[in-house]
Amino acid sequence: MFANLISHLGMANFFIVLTLLVFVHELGHYLAARLCRVKVLAFSIGFGPKIVGFFDRHGTEWKLAWLPLGGFVKMLGEMLPVPREKQRSLDGSINKADLPFAFHKKPVWQRFIIVAAGPLANFLFAFFLLVAMNLGFGIASEPKKSKSSGSVAIEQVMKSSAAEFAGMKVGDQILSMNKLAVQSPNDVIDFMKNANGDKITIGVLRDGKKVTLSVRPNPGESVNGKATYRLGVSFRPLGGAVVFTPTSFTGAVVHGFDQTINLTVQTLDGFKRIFTGQISLNQLGGPVMIAKMSGDVGVAGVYAFFSFMVMLSLNLAIINLFPIPVLDGGHLVLLAIEQVFRKPLPQLLQQGMMMVGMAFLVMLMLAVTVKDIWQLFLQ
């Protein structure tokens, strides 16, 4: 089982993707802080004891730490809004010459920019990467689907799935399901939406010969209280490789902007479906699942790897904007409250909110990690 788990983890790709996206995020905070003349004490990729590090001419320590699951930019002063009664004691602990460069001494609008710059950097990174992909590969589009029978080919058969037990193989072309003709993947999807768990007779074309298979689909996650069933295959139309159309620099930029907006809207819709119960929480993934997906897309090719990086960058940006204490979104809410009411929330309340937020994130991370590992063991 352990060998099976390890074989699924694209650890090299995982650390490359994670380190790069964390660096981009923290670089956003760092550059905004420098722009607002805030003294930056440390820029760290990872947590815990440092592996390597150095000080630049501005006195900032740049370091790589042992636990590479995030990072941080440490600035002079207090990051949380500081009540007036606490400012005097805090100011007294800072060298007078450095005090004007402390984070908490800056106006609310500058602190807001510094906090928001991290997620913004991830949005911009996704946009620039999409533009580079459009220039390097061309604009990707799906080819026209064939109208002929057998236009659906099995691309992957999941381990221990109903399809594997029934003898379905990679390369099989689906011709029919219960004698109903299949012409596109959507036909298979629509058929499975109405599946009730009974055996399905599937006609396939294999090596030029027609083969009939009997498949009893596995139960899947329930959707809106309705049981669902799945075969355990992925498929694509014959000749369904993505088509790339060369474009100009202007076309790459315009299309990249449209892609960034559309992918952001799709991601937000996905989170909405999770929060409203339309999508099961079991579909959430943690570091282990990201590592597995990093390995999968690494094998799939450069374009798939870059596309995966774009989606992760957008997800990182959006998640960090959630109004949860500890995340950037939580800090932005506290700053907005300070601006509206002309004073911050009491410090004890802020610290309590941060502790609750941290506990929630830790429990969520543990839960999805355990789920991911369990699913990999089942495979």
Side-chain angles (χ1 to χ4, degrees):
M1 287 191 298
F2 283 104
N4 186 42
L5 171 63
I6 293 171
S7 67
H8 279 84
L9 299 181
M11 297 307 294
N13 289 338
F14 171 63
F15 286 121
I16 290 172
V17 171
L18 185 62
T19 300
L20 179 58
L21 295 185
V22 169
F23 176 80
V24 167
H25 183 92
E26 299 304 331
L27 186 64
H29 291 310
Y30 171 82
L31 293 176
R34 290 300 309 272
L35 184 65
C36 295
R37 301 189 67 196
V38 172
K39 185 174 183 178
V40 180
L41 302 178
F43 187 116
S44 178
I45 300 299
F47 300 98
K50 70 177 179 181
I51 303 173
V52 292
F54 67 93
F55 286 87
D56 65 16
R57 62 189 180 88
H58 301 290
T60 302
E61 183 183 17
W62 297 72
K63 58 183 179 179
L64 180 66
W66 279 105
L67 187 60
L69 295 178
F72 62 89
V73 170
K74 183 179 180 182
M75 303 174 203
L76 181 66
E78 176 60 57
M79 294 294 292
L80 291 177
V82 182
R84 292 186 181 90
E85 62 272 16
K86 296 288 184 181
Q87 282 207 21
R88 181 172 298 178
S89 60
L90 177 61
D91 293 351
S93 64
I94 299 174
N95 188 301
K96 286 186 178 181
D98 290 333
L99 197 55
F101 307 106
F103 179 83
H104 68 279
K105 301 300 289 186
K106 297 298 179 179
V108 173
W109 68 270
Q110 288 191 3
R111 285 181 277 156
F112 197 95
I113 288 174
I114 294 172
V115 174
L120 178 60
N122 285 119
F123 279 119
L124 290 175
F125 178 75
F127 166 69
F128 287 126
L129 190 54
L130 285 168
V131 171
M133 291 165 63
N134 292 336
L135 283 173
F137 295 93
I139 294 178
S141 61
E142 291 284 340
K144 293 182 179 179
K145 296 176 181 178
S146 170
K147 298 296 183 180
S148 62
S149 296
S151 61
V152 179
I154 303 299
E155 192 170 52
Q156 183 180 8
V157 178
M158 311 303 176
K159 291 184 178 179
S160 302
S161 65
E164 183 183 56
F165 285 122
M168 297 186 78
K169 297 181 179 181
V170 173
D172 284 352
Q173 300 170 28
I174 299 179
L175 302 175
S176 64
M177 302 181 74
N178 283 354
K179 298 184 178 180
L180 296 175
V182 169
Q183 294 185 333
S184 75
N186 286 334
D187 291 339
V188 180
I189 294 172
D190 291 340
F191 184 93
M192 293 306 299
K193 284 181 180 178
N194 298 314
N196 56 13
D198 293 339
K199 284 187 176 182
I200 301 171
T201 300
I202 299 180
V204 302
L205 186 65
R206 179 184 298 166
D207 298 327
K209 298 179 180 179
K210 292 184 178 181
V211 179
T212 300
L213 302 172
S214 181
V215 184
R216 185 182 296 278
N218 293 329
E221 301 294 335
S222 61
V223 177
N224 296 327
K226 183 179 182 300
T228 63
Y229 296 88
R230 56 190 179 187
L231 298 175
V233 297
S234 62
F235 40 72
R236 60 178 175 82
L238 290 179
V242 174
V243 174
F244 294 100
T245 305
T247 186
S248 64
F249 177 78
T250 301
V253 171
V254 172
H255 189 66
F257 181 78
D258 290 341
Q259 286 176 296
T260 304
I261 297 299
N262 291 335
L263 290 172
T264 299
V265 171
Q266 291 175 22
T267 304
L268 288 171
D269 182 65
F271 283 119
K272 175 188 173 183
R273 288 171 174 270
I274 291 174
F275 292 141
T276 57
Q278 294 175 294
I279 297 178
S280 171
L281 289 174
N282 286 334
Q283 296 192 32
L284 288 175
V288 173
M289 191 55 61
I290 294 174
K292 179 185 181 300
M293 293 172 67
S294 298
D296 291 343
V297 298
V299 172
V302 176
Y303 189 86
F305 183 73
F306 286 163
S307 299
F308 177 67
M309 197 180 300
V310 166
M311 289 306 303
L312 276 186
S313 191
L314 291 175
N315 274 269
L316 181 60
I318 292 170
I319 290 173
N320 264 281
L321 288 174
F322 285 172
I324 300 174
V326 180
L327 298 180
D328 292 331
H331 284 274
L332 293 176
V333 169
L334 293 176
L335 289 170
I337 291 173
E338 181 181 0
Q339 179 66 27
V340 171
F341 295 100
R342 301 300 177 187
K343 65 177 183 179
L345 292 175
Q347 197 167 34
L348 285 178
L349 177 58
Q350 292 184 52
Q351 292 173 346
M353 292 169 62
M354 290 294 160
M355 291 179 63
V356 171
M358 179 63 76
F360 170 77
L361 290 179
V362 170
M363 288 189 293
L364 179 63
M365 185 67 72
L366 287 174
V368 296
T369 300
V370 170
K371 176 191 73 68
D372 291 346
I373 293 175
W374 178 248
Q375 286 183 343
L376 289 177
F377 277 151
L378 289 180
Q379 293 178 11

